[in-house]
Structure formats: C-alpha cells, structure tokens
Amino acid sequence: MLGSLDDGNMVRNDTVDRRSYLRAVAAGGVAVGLAGCNGNGNGEGGVEVAFEIETGEEYGFGVREGESDLQGALDDGLQAARQDDVYSDLIEEYFGNGDDAGDVTEGADGGTGAGTITPGTAPGFAPFEFKEGGELTGFDVELTEAIVARTDYEFGGFEEFEFDSLIPALQDGNIDMIAAAMTITDDRDEQIDFSNAYYEANQAVLVSSSSDIDPSGREDLEGRVVGAQSGTTGEGEVDKLIEDGIISEDDKRIYDNYELAVNDLESGNVDAVIIDVPVAENFAER
Amino acid sequence: MDILPLQAGDWAFVGTNWWILMQGLYVTVLLTVGSLLLGFLAGFPGGAIEVYGRGPLRSVVRGVGVLLRGTPIVVLIVLFFFGVQWPDIGAVPLGGLLPLPAFEINGQALLASTAALGLRSAAYQSQVFRGAIRSIDEGQLEAARSVGLSKLEAVRHVVVPQALRRSIPGFQNEFTIVLKDTSIAFAVGLAELLTRGFELFTQPAGQTAVVEIILTVSAIYFVLTFLTNRTLDRVENRFAIPTGE
C-alpha cells in the first residue's frame, strides 16, 4: 500500500492513489525530520517569488455538462456580486489588507425557487479554500455563498473532496458545482462546463530565500529540481519545462499538496516550486 | 547535521487546536469499530464456509474474497463511494459531549468507507478464521461425532470455541491494519484523524507546523495501536486454550 518510502517524493501519475502517496511523503518527511537533516520546513530562511509565468490562466466554477440554467445563473450572480462590491471586498480580505468582508449575503435579492445547489471544494488551498477552527472558509467559499445568494437557487452547504475527486463527484451528482480555484482548461472543458472566469492567476516560481538560486526566467531553471501540486496548473508548467528540454523528467517532483511542496523547498529537496501567484505571495509573506 | 528544530510556537498551535484532532480521532475510532464489526460479521461465516462449505456457495465466497483482497483499499473506497448509490442520509452529527464540540460528517462518505474497509477486512478475517479452524485437529471433530453430536453441533461446540481463541493473534494484526487504513477515507473527504491534521497545516496559521502536526497524528495512531494490542494480548492470555500443564 505504501509504495516505496525511499522515493517518497517521486512523480506519481495516477490520480486515484493519492492517499498512499501522501502517506509516503508524510512518512518520508517525518523520517527526514527525525534524522535531523537540515531544516524541517519551519519557515527558517523562508521562501520568495523569483519570477512569474504569464499563463493567462483563469479560474471558473464547474457545473455538469448541459446544465446551462445553473451556468447562466452563476454568471449573473457573479456579475451581481461584482456590482454589489462584495467581490472587491473579498479580494481585499483574502489578497489585500485582510479586512473582513462581513456578511456576503447582505443585499442579495435571490430566491430559493430553482432548487438547492451543493457546491464542492477541496480545502487545503489557502487563501482560496481552507479550514480554520474546523470551519471551511476562503475566497472561493465566501464568493460562492455570495453568488448563490444572488441567484434563484438555495445554498445547500459545501461538500469536501480531494481536488482530483471533484470532477467525478460533480459528474456523479454528489455535488452540483465546483468552487475550488479550478483553472478553465480544454481538457476539463471536455468533461464539465465552466462559468465565466471569476479570478485570473498567473503562476509564480517560488525559491528558498537562503539558496543561491535566483532564476529570473524559465531558462534559468535548467537542470533544477522543480515541484508542484498534483493536478494543478503549476504541474502543467513543470511539464512544459520538461517538454522544452529545460529540465529532465527525473527532476519533476509532484506533491499531494502545495504545502508539502513548499516544506520540501525549505528543506532544500527541491530548487523551485511553481504555484498560483496569490498562494505564492501568501508563503513569501509568512 | 542540525538538531531537529521543532518550534514551540508550532506545538502551541497543535495545542490550541487539539479538539480538531480529537474530532478526527472520534471518526477514526468509529470507522475502525464499524469496519471491524462488519468484517467480523461477514468474515467469520466466510471462513467457516471456506472450510465446511460445498459447491457454488463456497466458490462465490472464495471468489469475492480474492477480489477484495486483491484490490488496493483506496480503489475500493473510491469505487464504493462513486460506484454505489448510497441512501442520502445527509450529514451525521457527532460529538457534542464535553469537552468535544459537536460537528458533522458526510454520511455517504461514512457509509462508503465503512463498507469498503469492512468488506476488505471481512476478506482478510475469513482467512484468519479459516486458518484457525483448520488448526483444530480433525480427530476432535471425529471424537465429537462419535459421542453423538451432529456435524453442526460438533463444529459449534468443539471447533468454533477453540478456533476463535486461536484467531486472536491474527485478528490483532487485522485490527492494526484497519485502524491505520482508515486514513484512506481522506480520499472521499471523510474527516478522520489524518484529514483533520491536513486541515490544520493547510490553514494560514498552521503553515509552519507541518512536521509537528504529522508527529502528533502519528503519536495518536501509535498510542491507539499499542493500547489495543496490549489489551488483545491480555484477552489472548485470559482465554488461551488450557494445555493441562
């Protein structure tokens, strides 16, 4: 079950066996910590954004294929949330000065006649979705509540899944929409439908502040070990580096969660990690 | 080599959020007990059928056992969750007993995880019981028959009581495996112990506490496993088959 502990941070391509992979990584991390090797990701030295990659990537809400009513309602709800300044308040709360946006359903004029929708998300991706004091919160979570309150649908409460389980859960009817910082890609668009984009995020290349590596462009990553979270756009960017011959397949490290990737970056096991800009800035500031 | 720089502030973070881990522990224990119970209820008859059964029934039990034992548990859980239409029992409220704050978990995820872990465990437990039944000398069955017991009575009163005792060490092993494998319920979003730990270090305040949280979670699993194994050791000694020495 545990796969191999000794190559705990290796690339893993199947999407199902995530749990055992995390356990391998976690066990590896504990082993490294106990062995007393340098650092254990306690923020010593910290990380910084070396440069950004313009991907033009946009996040959208996912709905089942053909559910154009819901899709249209979400687009209108997003528009209404922007007009009510709830959208900009949430941007300030999660990416700006941190001021609480307050009650996001205030001033909403939606109904509940069109039925209940249950959104799904994958907590563990601050500031978009994470758990705090046992409660689910984050930019996507509050924005979803704000938007649904501005449609004719009733908000049915979030269900939580692993990121890779979200699309199956949507197709299977466990949830009615995905609000999980999900980038609109052609591959995903073949499986599900997306609302209009609600967030634009480029990718950031994070490096350790204490390392002597200071890349200023993709070419500077030549021969480096680069990591990302499984299934994210960051992983796509790592793949592009491989396609372009900048790094070799062996130098790709994929993690179950970006947190573990940054932990490994601080420990010096990878040279760079590619993640969304707002998330990267969150780390660079801590 | 540096000394492990675990930080006091991060341990304090674990300390203030201990109740979140306890909620996870609650679900882990619930899932373990439920799965083992289901595993026993299905696995014990399964083992008996593999030994005494005949014809298609035995073939079916064997076949299902091989399938369940030969499939990775994460695949089983995902399959049971997405592939089976569970009744929508909604959110299951748990806790609320002081000092554990009340919380809710996804009912369908609980059903699917219990079914997957329980049936997989049944497949393993059936082998534990099969081995234990086989370890009782055939002569005892013959002796029981010769004093007038029917075959069923002989199995029920002579073989089973001894086989159950001999299966304790194997069962102990199975308990440990099921307890640790409950962490795989993470895949379907069930808030068990490891999921809760994960929740803690992915929130902004806990981002530096990854190792501290994982060490704490490991320690909780270890304590649970250790205590239960010791208890089962005692049970085994207490109910050991008298040797007459």
Side-chain angles (χ1 to χ4, degrees), chain A residues 19 33 36 42 131 159 286, chain B residues 2 4-5 10 106 186 203 208:
Chain A
R19 178 82 270 116
N42 269 321
K131 304 287 283 260
E159 296 268 347
R286 88 182 184 194
Chain B
D2 300 334
L4 185 65
D10 291 335
N106 182 335
F186 180 95
Q203 62 178 264
T208 58

